[in-house]
Amino acid sequence: MTPTPTRPPIFSRAAFAVSLSAAVLGLAGCGAMSAQNPNSALKPVNAVEIAPDARVMLKGADVVAYFSDGRYEQGLPQFKSTYEGVTFHFSNAERQARFDQSPEAFLPQFGGYCADGLVYAIPWGGDADTWKMIDGKLYIFGGQGSKDAFELDEARNVALAQKYWAEEVKGGNSFVQRAKRLVFRVPHYKTGEELAQAVAAAKAKQP
């Protein structure tokens, strides 16, 4: 779900954001920072370091499996391809070949980050086993709760996530963007607790 950090006093929020961003940039050499922010068109991306590869998409989930078989499946390191500085794992050579022919067709939306987080301009989370295909595109979520919240108003949330990805997130540093939007929140921001209550209320109305 959307994170609910302690809110700093209003009068200090600007100074807090500046300090936090500076601290984040000071961590540029750390593994997570490097993994999520390749110097390529895919920046930022929900990737992790899995030696010997510096950044592996979705912890090695097979991105082709969602499209070909309609399911989450973990890939294997012996079947891997690198695209725009990011490594992708596949469960077999056939899926690897399909990806190599048209990588863009299999990329998850919003760099593989939780689509519900992007509704609030926050590139964070994203679990490969919680996902949904919408209009032929792959959306990843940070757990069932996040997916449920996103589906409360799917069309609106898709539009908001696409807007923030295009206007703020794409091409930027994931850590800096996260820090900024956890302080300077979007007008429609909701805490994880508020979203959980909205999901519960919606489910209670279902026959």
Side-chain angles (χ1 to χ4, degrees):
M1 296 296 291
T2 304
T4 55
T6 302
R7 187 192 301 267
I10 296 298
F11 67 84
S12 67
R13 288 175 73 189
F16 176 80
V18 171
S19 298
L20 186 56
S21 293
V24 165
L25 288 172
L27 295 174
C30 78
M33 176 78 78
S34 177
Q36 292 185 27
N37 295 283
N39 185 24
S40 77
L42 294 189
K43 179 181 181 180
V45 64
N46 184 8
V48 298
E49 180 180 0
I50 301 178
D53 299 305
R55 51 188 66 89
V56 178
M57 171 66 90
L58 292 176
K59 300 179 180 178
D62 184 339
V63 293
V64 176
Y66 300 103
F67 295 85
S68 64
D69 289 44
R71 67 184 184 190
Y72 153 75
E73 190 170 329
Q74 194 67 19
L76 302 171
Q78 59 263 44
F79 302 110
K80 66 181 181 181
S81 295
T82 299
Y83 176 69
E84 291 287 353
V86 179
T87 300
F88 294 78
H89 288 179
F90 309 95
S91 58
N92 57 52
E94 180 182 353
R95 288 185 183 159
Q96 181 184 5
R98 286 191 63 185
F99 178 86
D100 290 342
Q101 289 174 359
S102 183
E104 291 285 339
F106 300 103
L107 297 180
Q109 298 298 291
F110 317 128
Y113 290 107
C114 174
D116 194 53
L118 265 296
V119 172
Y120 308 98
I122 302 172
W124 206 350
D127 300 328
D129 60 352
T130 309
W131 59 282
K132 184 174 185 178
M133 299 297 293
I134 303 174
D135 295 329
K137 297 180 180 180
L138 174 61
Y139 292 75
I140 301 293
F141 298 93
Q144 187 61 45
S146 292
K147 183 171 179 285
D148 290 342
F150 191 85
E151 291 175 333
L152 287 173
D153 193 342
E154 186 172 282
R156 167 184 175 272
N157 289 333
V158 166
L160 282 170
Q162 290 175 339
K163 165 185 165 65
Y164 286 120
W165 177 257
E167 295 179 0
E168 292 190 25
V169 183
K170 186 176 181 180
N173 184 288
S174 59
F175 282 61
V176 172
Q177 176 67 21
R178 222 172 285 165
K180 180 182 78 172
R181 278 307 188 178
L182 285 172
V183 177
F184 299 103
R185 295 171 176 173
V186 297
H188 54 277
Y189 180 87
K190 293 185 183 298
T191 66
E193 182 178 356
E194 289 170 334
L195 288 173
Q197 291 173 350
V199 168
K203 289 183 176 180
K205 294 179 181 179
Q206 293 176 355

